[in-house]
Amino acid sequence: MAPMATDFGDDEGRVSQKLIDYHAARARGGVGLIIMEVTGIDALFPYMPRTVGLWSDDLIPGYRRLTDAVHAHGAMIFPQVAHPGPDSLCALLTGVEAVGPTAGIVNDITKTACRQLAADEIPPIVEQYARTARRAREAGCDGIELHAAHGYMLLGSFLSPVRNRRTDAYGGSTEGMMRFPLEVIRAVRAMVGPGFPIVLRISGDEMVAGGRTLRETLDIAPIFVEAGVDAFHVSSGAYPDLSWRVIPPTGTPFGLNVHLSAALKQVVDVPVMVVGRITDPRQAEDILCRGEADMTVMGRALLADPDLPVKAAEGRFDEIAPCIGCGLGCVVAREQGADTTCLVNPAVGREAETALVPADGPRKVLVAGGGPAGLMAAAVAAERGHSVDLFERTQTLGGLYTLASVAPGKQELTLVIQYLHGRAVRAGVRIHLGSEVTPQLLRRESPDVVIVATGSKPCGPVLPGMDRPNVLCARELVAGRIPLPTGRVLVAGGGTVGLEVAEIIAEAGRGDGRTSVRVVEAREEVGMDMFSEARTLLLERLEALGVELLPCTRLASISLGGAGFDWVVAALGAEPLDTLSAPAEEAGIEVRVVGDARQPRQAVAAIAEGFEAGRSI
Ligand SMILES: Cc1cc2nc3c(=O)[nH]c(=O)nc-3n(C[C@H](O)[C@H](O)[C@H](O)COP(=O)(O)O)c2cc1C
């Protein structure tokens, strides 16, 4: 399991029960080796709020409880020991200035620049690494990982020519850039002795202008082995220019670093692990069989399903909750100050509290709507022993989420529906397609509980002129119910839907000599609701297609021939569609409204609400 910052520690950097339950669930699910998220080495330089640390001996007992819980299930655990360097939020959290190889590296979140570490400040940090490794061993950890990848954190920054512009002994040449990481490796080895594995996480190729190339990585890897590295953990990319390779979003290649681990294996004789968009255990097996890596590492796939390894071992591939790389739960939620979660697994970080318990007595549950919220609610209610019927008005499951999978590169979204459908069927949900729930049907079925998951409809005319015939609805276009417009097209609304529909139209009209697409958005940036890495890639594609983006622009009204557009595509959001709550309540039926029917939002919220509804009946 790959290191993933969860912020599940407490404010003092201690291991919490939440973190223990989270890792114990992955160990129980069959993970062989958990590489834990960043473990800080200095309280003054925290990575994020609530990032755990091992900067003093009194933090050891907490880690001991964690390692005991993981070992109880036969798994091993390595903390990822790291000084965050320029990527510490210290400027906000502890009031000290961040440090780096070179002054002026600006932190994305604090918007402040780091100062350059003086050469004589480095040996004490080397010592902190060694002491942290010693504490990890005392806490029962099975080894450690040193984070030197992605031109990120302190070691990664020293090792990357993009960030390390020093001219002293700690920079200036490949040898200079390796000096600090090598000193750390040697000091750790000297402190922990032999037989305590040290993994080095490294970008096989930074793939950015002026960054380290694969050729150079192959040259330096054997030197790290000589210094005491027992295994490599290979990813790619470098902050800030190529960060999408670090947490690759939906639509990026699966196993995107495998060629790098395969190359590294040719030059070192220690194990090489590979990470990055390895989501299907059969794909992982292929990588091993082809000899492209000695171990495969999964990150988000194990947030999505802690039981992935056990299910794979038992051949229950269809039962695995799929990671589609959406980043909505693991990254975006955290950025917005909410807890880490996962689109397909709302139980992340709440493993103990959400363990499904059988219902007191079976009740008759009717679910109206077969989108993600309805499917999850139905599955969970049935898993707990309720008698569940799900009615879907159309002939297909998935609701609006199916439309979301139409945009370029988003086809894998259908895996989510496939998974939720399978889960509902296995739990015994009776699914009725082509059946709309009406008040009559409610009376006839007379359920104990109705879950309203009937979704949303596009916003009504919010602007004067929106009822004109040259105004098209984004949803209708994406669904293929009306032909794509050509000519001068204005997309009103620059959220995910607006940007994606712009891409679809621009792509279809490419080279026809007459189609041009502009997107207007009232907020100061487009794609504000997106996972930033997906946004970066989408904006690059839109630029290549010549789509013009106009943030900070409010559409006042739409008039005939007004601003010179042939078509306006409305992507201005949605409003809830719920015609059932009132009649159900009138009939004395218990009602839960979930997903867009409650308030239109992204699927991560809808699925979480479906889960809660199913759990609480
Ligand atoms: C929420 C989140 C937090 C992460 N935190 C770390 C981290 O603390 N250290 C690190 O080296 N990589 C971190 N990563 C990168 C992952 O270890 C992994 O390389 C990446 O997610 C790609 O693998 P995957 O496609 O299997 O998820 C993080 C990724 C995610 C999604």
Side-chain angles (χ1 to χ4, degrees):
M1 175 168 160
M4 285 176 290
T6 56
D7 309 337
F8 286 163
D10 72 9
D11 290 333
E12 270 80 52
R14 277 187 297 256
V15 166
S16 65
Q17 190 56 44
K18 187 186 184 89
L19 190 68
I20 294 175
D21 293 342
Y22 160 80
H23 282 302
R26 272 80 200 161
R28 193 184 319 114
V31 175
L33 166 61
I34 292 171
I35 302 172
M36 241 184 100
E37 66 198 280
V38 179
T39 283
I41 66 171
D42 186 334
L44 285 177
F45 297 96
Y47 176 44
M48 301 270 165
R50 301 187 307 282
T51 302
V52 284
L54 262 177
W55 44 71
S56 67
D57 285 0
D58 58 307
L59 294 165
I60 295 174
Y63 271 76
R64 169 59 78 176
R65 290 198 298 128
L66 173 61
T67 58
D68 284 350
V70 166
H71 291 154
H73 298 289
M76 292 192 180
I77 183 163
F78 291 16
Q80 186 186 53
V81 174
H83 186 307
D87 304 296
S88 168
L89 297 191
C90 50
L92 289 178
L93 299 173
T94 57
V96 302
E97 210 176 352
V99 294
T102 316
I105 301 167
V106 177
N107 186 298
D108 235 18
I109 299 171
T110 65
K111 308 286 179 212
T112 56
C114 71
R115 68 175 178 86
Q116 174 165 336
L117 273 178
D120 63 359
E121 290 180 285
I122 293 176
I125 299 177
V126 171
E127 192 54 31
Q128 283 178 316
Y129 269 98
R131 280 200 294 260
T132 304
R134 188 258 303 159
R135 291 183 196 107
R137 197 191 54 193
E138 285 173 17
C141 297
D142 303 282
I144 62 158
E145 171 167 289
L146 293 172
H147 188 2
H150 313 145
Y152 198 61
M153 305 219 178
L154 200 52
L155 292 182
S157 299
F158 269 80
L159 200 54
S160 172
V162 177
R163 279 189 168 180
N164 186 342
R165 308 210 167 244
R166 300 172 76 101
T167 49
D168 66 358
Y170 288 100
S173 61
T174 305
E175 199 192 338
M177 287 189 279
M178 290 177 74
R179 184 178 306 275
F180 177 34
L182 282 172
E183 286 178 3
V184 169
I185 294 160
R186 293 196 185 105
V188 169
R189 178 55 75 217
M191 180 72 90
V192 297
F196 187 73
I198 303 172
V199 173
L200 189 69
R201 187 174 236 219
I202 191 166
S203 283
D205 193 333
E206 293 188 330
M207 297 182 177
V208 290
R212 197 180 59 255
T213 62
L214 172 61
R215 183 65 258 155
E216 288 161 325
T217 305
L218 300 184
D219 288 343
I220 63 178
I223 305 171
F224 284 125
V225 175
E226 226 169 88
V229 163
D230 296 295
F232 289 93
H233 181 177
V234 179
S235 58
S236 62
Y239 283 95
D241 291 341
L242 206 55
S243 59
W244 71 261
R245 287 199 74 96
V246 178
I247 308 182
T250 310
T252 51
F254 293 102
L256 78 175
N257 298 319
V258 168
H259 64 296
L260 302 173
S261 63
L264 198 59
K265 267 181 68 65
Q266 303 302 313
V267 301
V268 295
D269 51 13
V270 296
V272 176
M273 326 196 232
V274 67
V275 72
R277 285 275 276 169
I278 300 169
T279 55
D280 184 322
R282 290 162 290 194
Q283 170 207 4
E285 180 91 334
D286 276 350
I287 294 168
L288 299 180
C289 289
R290 284 197 298 265
E292 291 165 331
D294 300 294
M295 294 165 78
T296 53
V297 184
M298 294 176 167
R300 292 164 294 171
L302 291 166
L303 291 179
D305 197 335
D307 296 320
L308 179 150
V310 162
K311 289 177 181 171
E314 294 174 359
R316 294 152 55 206
F317 298 106
D318 291 350
E319 294 180 34
I320 295 171
C323 169
I324 58 156
C326 70
L328 293 176
C330 53
V331 181
V332 178
R334 264 174 61 231
E335 284 170 355
Q336 294 173 346
D339 267 357
T340 298
T341 179
C342 173
L343 175 76
V344 292
N345 181 16
V348 170
R350 301 190 298 148
E351 283 75 14
E353 148 202 352
T354 56
L356 295 186
V357 284
D360 291 341
R363 302 175 76 190
K364 186 171 162 58
V365 178
L366 186 151
V367 180
L375 283 169
M376 182 59 117
V380 173
E383 282 163 2
R384 295 183 49 240
H386 294 303
S387 167
V388 184
D389 284 88
L390 181 147
F391 293 84
E392 163 57 39
R393 182 174 57 80
T394 69
Q395 291 294 344
T396 44
L397 294 170
L400 195 57
Y401 204 64
T402 308
L403 279 192
S405 74
V406 171
K410 289 182 72 183
Q411 285 62 46
E412 63 191 296
L413 265 65
T414 55
L415 295 176
V416 173
I417 300 303
Q418 220 171 312
Y419 161 72
L420 292 173
H421 178 199
R423 184 166 167 182
V425 169
R426 278 190 303 278
V429 175
R430 291 171 294 276
I431 295 178
H432 312 269
L433 293 178
S435 313
E436 180 164 6
V437 181
T438 56
Q440 293 82 337
L441 185 136
L442 269 188
R443 271 196 299 279
R444 191 180 76 223
E445 291 284 323
S446 157
D448 300 310
V449 184
V450 61
I451 297 176
V452 180
T454 43
S456 63
K457 56 177 193 273
C459 282
V462 288
L463 298 173
M466 259 184 79
D467 47 358
R468 290 189 181 285
N470 66 336
V471 179
L472 309 174
C473 166
R475 267 194 206 187
E476 298 289 306
L477 277 181
V478 177
R481 283 194 281 267
I482 47 176
L484 291 175
T486 56
R488 290 159 305 171
V489 181
L490 179 78
V491 176
T496 311
V497 175
L499 295 180
E500 287 179 354
V501 80
E503 184 181 16
I504 293 171
I505 296 168
E507 185 72 55
R510 184 154 60 159
D512 71 1
R514 49 191 297 265
T515 299
S516 64
V517 184
R518 273 192 203 184
V519 181
V520 289
E521 165 61 43
R523 289 181 289 182
E524 70 235 46
E525 273 186 79
V526 296
M528 299 259 285
D529 53 343
M530 293 182 75
F531 170 32
S532 53
E533 312 298 358
R535 180 174 178 271
T536 305
L537 291 177
L538 177 55
L539 294 186
E540 276 174 17
R541 295 199 302 271
L542 290 176
E543 191 181 344
L545 286 166
V547 173
E548 208 181 322
L549 304 174
L550 301 168
C552 300
T553 308
R554 199 173 283 279
L555 214 56
S557 69
I558 300 168
S559 59
L560 208 57
F565 290 97
D566 301 314
W567 300 99
V568 175
V569 177
L572 295 167
E575 50 195 52
L577 184 63
D578 170 12
T579 55
L580 288 175
S581 293
E585 265 159 25
E586 242 166 64
I589 303 168
E590 193 179 316
V591 180
R592 310 287 166 89
V593 186
V594 295
D596 281 6
R598 183 146 129 197
Q599 191 199 328
R601 283 145 308 158
Q602 282 170 319
V604 61
I607 293 175
E609 276 169 17
F611 182 76
E612 292 311 325
R615 218 161 69 75
S616 62
I617 292 169

